[in-house]
Amino acid sequence: MNATPGRQDKAGFEMRIVLCYPQKKHYIDQVLQVAPAADVVEASQEEIPQEILNADIFCGHAKVHPLPWKDVVQQGRLRWIQSSAAGLDHCLTDPVIHSNIVVTSASGLFADQVAEQTLALLMGVLRSLPAFFVAATRREFLRLPTRDLRGLTVGIVGLGGNGRRVAQVLAPWKVRILATDMFPADKLAEVAELSPAEQLDTLLAASDIVVLCVPLNSQTRGLMNAARFARMRPNSILINVARGQVVVERDLVDALESGHLYGAGLDVTEVEPLPPESKLWELPRVIITPHVGAQSARREDDTTDFFCENLSRYLQGLPLWNVVDKNLGFPKPKDRYVRA
């Protein structure tokens, strides 16, 4: 990464850094310790569309308003986007993909939390918690069959930062773990078999539980459709902690209503918030959480620490962590950030 100083604005600052995530003064001070000559600007979700036009570096995740990426690229000032999320569908639009703007993700930064959410969803479905919770609201002492995790085969689709941590968390439960990945060259000891992404259908047919950990891009949008659900084992379970649009929701509903799939744990849905009329709300063995898998009491601290580490590398001309392949939406293994 070339660390050529940014253009100087009329106040004499070397670069303008726009931050957008919940802020406290000590986060700004932390960034200024790394880049004391920078103009560090806090931007709310509403302010990002304007502030990003005058940014050299942007750190955040635009979740409310679409950003004027075509104008940003044409202006030619923005040089680096540090996403505060692992998913990059908010910024990897055609103008950015075909530009010289470097994009880095937060892949792996919240892998612990995503793995915990995965385990919570999976255990909830296996142990019939939705039915027990409903019975509890009625003060009914309901007994239902439950299922064991031990001895099952878990297929992880996408062995990036989140997928790898999911494998590590599930391994002590005496399961057999299979995985597919776009770069199947760095197998974990916990994974019995790591295959290319093209062998997804084989993984589906061999798995009792399928966990989706892929980014959303042109190759994964609608990845799990009717044909793919038909290839899953009867009575199997789907867990989605990736992006909602990886799954064709109407096909998932059909697979659940027919009884082919036993249940599902969904932290993400095709439309968010999930509309009240969605049939997913009515299905008895579906657990839905509102895209909270990466929530953490330390999220802003960890995000700032990571951004400052990458900012220091940027200013020194060193390779950045988590530089993504903009066509795929995730970093290659050699560029992945791994938390200690």
Side-chain angles (χ1 to χ4, degrees):
M1 172 62 59
N2 189 340
T4 302
R7 68 185 66 192
Q8 293 200 354
D9 61 21
K10 60 184 178 183
F13 292 108
E14 287 187 358
M15 66 175 61
R16 194 167 190 265
I17 301 173
V18 174
L19 301 179
C20 179
Y21 55 90
Q23 291 298 310
K24 296 177 182 176
K25 182 180 181 299
H26 70 270
Y27 296 144
I28 302 297
D29 293 340
Q30 187 175 343
V31 174
L32 286 171
Q33 287 179 2
V34 177
D39 178 19
V40 180
V41 178
E42 299 178 58
S44 66
Q45 287 289 333
E46 289 70 24
E47 294 169 332
I48 302 175
Q50 181 59 41
E51 293 292 349
I52 199 167
L53 292 169
N54 297 308
D56 296 299
I57 297 170
F58 172 69
C59 177
H61 180 185
K63 296 181 284 187
V64 176
H65 301 292
L67 299 191
W69 291 118
K70 183 177 179 180
D71 295 338
V72 169
V73 171
Q74 287 180 344
Q75 190 157 319
R77 176 164 184 170
L78 187 67
R79 291 176 289 147
W80 170 29
I81 298 169
Q82 171 63 68
S83 174
S84 57
L88 295 169
D89 40 294
H90 63 98
C91 67
L92 285 185
T93 60
D94 281 344
V96 174
I97 290 172
H98 296 104
S99 75
N100 293 323
I101 298 172
V102 174
V103 180
T104 53
S105 78
S107 177
L109 192 59
F110 310 114
D112 288 334
Q113 291 82 4
V114 172
E116 291 171 10
Q117 188 77 9
T118 300
L119 185 61
L121 291 168
L122 177 54
M123 288 299 193
V125 174
L126 285 169
R127 306 305 295 181
S128 301
L129 292 188
F132 293 139
F133 289 155
V134 170
T137 63
R138 300 171 181 165
R139 301 187 181 185
E140 296 177 1
F141 194 75
L142 176 69
R143 294 185 67 87
L144 287 174
T146 61
R147 294 178 60 181
D148 298 337
L149 176 57
R150 180 189 59 186
L152 298 184
T153 297
V154 179
I156 300 176
V157 184
L159 202 65
N162 290 341
R164 295 171 75 82
R165 186 59 184 143
V166 167
Q168 292 169 336
V169 167
L170 289 180
W173 296 88
K174 301 178 182 178
V175 295
R176 179 171 179 257
I177 299 176
L178 312 176
T180 58
D181 194 71
M182 287 289 295
F183 300 99
D186 190 16
K187 188 177 79 67
L188 290 171
E190 292 84 354
V191 176
E193 297 178 16
L194 174 59
S195 305
E198 293 78 13
Q199 294 187 23
L200 171 61
D201 289 348
T202 301
L203 176 142
L204 297 178
S207 301
D208 302 293
I209 298 158
V210 174
V211 183
L212 303 179
C213 296
V214 292
L216 179 64
N217 56 35
S218 60
Q219 298 178 47
T220 62
R221 189 179 301 273
L223 180 72
M224 295 301 297
N225 53 25
R228 288 268 161 64
F229 289 128
R231 291 185 175 98
M232 289 178 64
R233 283 183 173 178
N235 230 25
S236 58
I237 294 170
L238 178 76
I239 304 293
N240 189 4
V241 289
R243 283 292 186 267
Q245 292 174 352
V246 171
V247 174
V248 179
E249 186 174 302
R250 64 180 181 276
D251 294 345
L252 173 60
V253 169
D254 289 345
L256 290 162
E257 287 186 327
S258 71
H260 179 65
L261 294 190
Y262 177 83
L266 309 173
D267 186 51
V268 291
T269 53
E270 194 170 7
V271 176
E272 296 178 1
L274 183 63
E277 62 272 18
S278 171
K279 287 188 175 182
L280 288 172
W281 293 115
E282 305 168 7
L283 296 172
R285 289 191 291 269
V286 174
I287 298 178
I288 299 164
T289 53
H291 204 152
V292 294
Q295 280 191 181
S296 166
R298 282 190 46 85
R299 184 177 179 109
E300 292 103 45
D301 294 338
D302 291 342
T303 298
T304 306
D305 290 346
F306 178 66
F307 175 58
C308 286
E309 180 176 347
N310 247 0
L311 180 60
S312 176
R313 298 176 70 86
Y314 180 88
L315 295 174
Q316 296 177 70
L318 298 175
L320 302 182
W321 291 118
N322 284 352
V323 174
V324 303
D325 180 314
K326 290 192 284 188
N327 289 303
L328 297 175
F330 56 87
K332 296 180 179 180
K334 66 180 180 61
D335 298 318
R336 287 176 186 160
Y337 173 73
V338 179
R339 293 191 65 177

